[in-house]
Amino acid sequence: MKKTVNTFKKMKQEGEKITVLTAYEYAFAKIIDEENIDMTLVGDSLGMVVQGEKNTLGVTLEDIIYHTKIVSKISKQSFIVADMPFMSYQVSIEEAVFNAGRLIKEGGAEAVKLEGGIEFKDEIKAIVRAGIPVQAHIGLMPQSVHKVGGYKVQKDEKKILEDAIAVEEAGAFSVVLEGIPADIAKKVTNKLSIPTIGIGAGVSCDGQVLVINDMIGLNEDYLPKFVKKYAQIGDETRKAVKSYIKEVKGSKFPQKKHCY
């Protein structure tokens, strides 16, 4: 059954954990949808894991629309959330609503996610007023990497709680808590009526999200402490490539059974 915002509200009420993974292309989106992932995020993390950039800041709205189109066409069960990239909502409320609308109309997303707490309360409220569900994102916010001086754990409990309450009051249907101490995340989760989705925020959150490239071992660069590798696809792919090269060089591939 196709998930909706009401699904997640009910899951929090009943204490059922929410599962979220990123996806950027057809094959992985199909796999995680068939395995009944609750929510699929087309994240601006694609800047790092797909485009090879050092951060997410260069990702454009067109990039997110393109990848969301691919992911949304395969989704039969998972709820599709598209990231609002850097400078797609910060300039004005009107531009924020317009760009959120493009992600829904052109990309096929069912909700949008934006980084920021109380300072973006009005933007969240306006997007929700336009009929678009919003997932908020507080704590460590990768789009503010230069402002905070790197990817640092956020420990200001007062600020985090203020931001969490603000985004809920603005109408967000859920909120991502990134890079905050587990005890603070637990307090936020208990305080809010909307689900919290943790990434580096401990087990007490209502759900968890990971970047799929990280959790299956495709990203061989630095990984944050909160990432668990559930597979080593990068290593297996490397072995396969080496075997392919060896067989082609040695005229062992293709064999007769591979020919017409």
Side-chain angles (χ1 to χ4, degrees), residues 8 18-22 32 37-41 79 81 135 176 197 207-211:
F8 307 120
I18 300 165
T19 58
V20 189
L21 282 172
T22 64
I32 66 175
I37 202 79
D38 295 316
M39 190 184 300
T40 301
L41 171 64
F79 186 78
V81 180
Q135 181 175 77
V176 171
I197 308 297
Q208 299 292 329
V209 57
L210 282 178
V211 172

Side-chain angles (χ1 to χ4, degrees), residues 25-26 38 41 45 51 76 128 132 138 222 226 229 232 239:
E25 47 77 57
Y26 183 85
D38 295 316
L41 171 64
S45 49
Q51 299 173 339
K76 293 182 176 143
V128 173
I132 301 170
I138 63 173
Y222 168 77
F226 57 75
K229 286 188 179 181
Q232 297 291 347
K239 290 177 186 176

Side-chain angles (χ1 to χ4, degrees), residues 74-86:
I74 192 58
S75 175
K76 293 182 176 143
Q77 302 180 84
S78 184
F79 186 78
I80 307 299
V81 180
D83 249 338
M84 296 197 72
F86 183 59

Side-chain angles (χ1 to χ4, degrees), residues 14-218:
E14 296 180 352
E16 180 183 352
K17 296 290 188 178
I18 300 165
T19 58
V20 189
L21 282 172
T22 64
Y24 319 100
E25 47 77 57
Y26 183 85
F28 284 142
K30 187 173 187 291
I31 289 170
I32 66 175
D33 187 72
E34 288 176 347
E35 293 303 316
N36 203 25
I37 202 79
D38 295 316
M39 190 184 300
T40 301
L41 171 64
V42 185
D44 61 2
S45 49
L46 69 87
M48 301 170 79
V49 300
V50 176
Q51 299 173 339
E53 300 295 339
K54 63 182 179 180
N55 55 47
T56 65
L57 301 181
V59 176
T60 67
L61 188 68
E62 282 66 31
D63 290 336
I64 299 290
I65 290 172
Y66 171 79
H67 288 278
T68 304
K69 275 184 179 180
I70 296 169
V71 172
S72 63
K73 72 172 63 174
I74 192 58
S75 175
K76 293 182 176 143
Q77 302 180 84
S78 184
F79 186 78
I80 307 299
V81 180
D83 249 338
M84 296 197 72
F86 183 59
M87 297 309 293
S88 68
Y89 60 94
Q90 290 94 335
V91 176
S92 69
I93 292 176
E94 291 75 17
E95 192 167 323
V97 175
F98 180 78
N99 289 333
R102 287 193 65 195
L103 290 170
I104 303 297
K105 289 183 68 175
E106 299 175 42
E110 292 155 327
V112 299
K113 180 174 78 66
L114 61 83
E115 296 181 14
I118 196 166
E119 66 271 29
F120 288 106
K121 185 174 181 177
D122 291 340
E123 283 79 1
I124 294 172
K125 191 178 294 185
I127 295 170
V128 173
R129 189 186 306 122
I132 301 170
V134 175
Q135 181 175 77
H137 182 149
I138 63 173
L140 171 59
M141 294 176 284
Q143 291 179 17
S144 300
V145 61
H146 295 319
K147 178 181 177 182
V148 300
Y151 299 100
K152 298 179 179 180
V153 175
Q154 301 300 298
K155 300 178 180 179
D156 188 339
E157 182 175 332
K158 183 174 181 290
K159 168 65 173 167
I160 292 168
L161 281 167
E162 285 178 350
D163 283 342
I165 292 168
V167 299
E168 178 178 44
E169 289 177 347
F173 78 92
S174 64
V175 57
V176 171
L177 307 180
E178 179 170 1
I180 68 175
D183 60 331
I184 297 178
K186 184 176 182 179
K187 290 178 183 178
V188 173
T189 300
N190 292 337
K191 182 77 173 176
L192 300 184
S193 62
I194 60 174
T196 59
I197 308 297
I199 179 166
V203 74
S204 295
C205 297
D206 297 306
Q208 299 292 329
V209 57
L210 282 178
V211 172
I212 192 166
N213 299 58
D214 294 343
M215 61 89 73
I216 64 172
L218 273 179

